[in-house]
Amino acid sequence: MTQTSQQVVIIDTGCANVSSVRFAIERLGYDVTVSRDPEIVLGADKLFLPGVGTASEAMKNLTERDLIRLVSQVEQPLLGICLGMQLLGEYSEEQGLNGTKQVPCLSLCPAPVVKMETGELPLPHMGWNTITPEPEHPLFKDIPEGTYFYFVHSYAMPAFNTEQGRTIAHCDYGKPFTAAVQSGNYYGVQFHPERSGKAGAQLIKNFLEM
């Protein structure tokens, strides 16, 4: 499928990083639509679910925009980015100012999102860190172990492997955590590929070409 014939849609979550994700895709030669219209979303070939901020605010936005049921109906490949990946989980401990109260998420991936245990390392985990991807996974084609990506977060999915979903790349910061996940047609990356230079561009390219 060529760049011009593939329908690429960023789900309009109202989050601040929609434009940067759009520009990153357009730099690869793809046309992109930002939408929350069910016909456009369900008719796409590839979907992106961006997110920044807290899980509680993001889930509130999804509810107000009637996106929770829509995202759950998706059958084509979808890539959640940063908070967008976390929203795929069962719940998040990130309740903004209220601390540890659990926020129900989309439950499309069988894992929680919990506050990172980093020992003496500071939170948030901010800056460049290396990942260890699952060998031969198509999302990481031409991205070797030890490649640096850009992270900004204080909560993360623990590394896990179940029949319903699994960690496909992990990162270490105090303890190992999930840097990328797959659950059926739902994929997610904890880092920001749109802010990760050539490696991030390669990952977006890989997703679009899968």
Side-chain angles (χ1 to χ4, degrees), residues 40-109:
I40 293 174
V41 170
L42 297 178
D45 297 301
K46 297 286 171 57
L47 289 163
F48 289 81
L49 181 68
V52 293
T54 65
S56 54
E57 283 299 314
M59 288 303 297
K60 180 182 176 183
N61 285 346
L62 293 185
T63 300
E64 291 175 348
R65 291 168 177 251
D66 294 324
L67 288 173
I68 291 178
R69 183 170 177 269
L70 179 59
V71 173
S72 300
Q73 290 178 302
V74 166
E75 296 182 353
Q76 61 271 61
L78 177 149
L79 180 66
I81 295 176
C82 194
L83 180 60
M85 168 184 143
Q86 295 183 3
L87 297 180
L88 299 176
E90 294 173 337
Y91 66 85
S92 174
E93 292 182 352
E94 189 175 20
Q95 180 69 10
L97 298 176
N98 295 328
T100 59
K101 184 179 179 182
Q102 294 179 1
V103 179
C105 293
L106 296 171
S107 292
L108 298 169
C109 176

Side-chain angles (χ1 to χ4, degrees), residues 91-140:
Y91 66 85
S92 174
E93 292 182 352
E94 189 175 20
Q95 180 69 10
L97 298 176
N98 295 328
T100 59
K101 184 179 179 182
Q102 294 179 1
V103 179
C105 293
L106 296 171
S107 292
L108 298 169
C109 176
V113 175
V114 299
K115 191 169 185 178
M116 299 174 72
E117 297 180 25
T118 61
E120 295 181 356
L121 296 173
L123 280 178
H125 172 215
M126 180 182 297
W128 297 88
N129 205 342
T130 59
I131 67 165
T132 301
E134 181 180 289
E136 307 301 322
H137 195 286
L139 190 61
F140 295 98

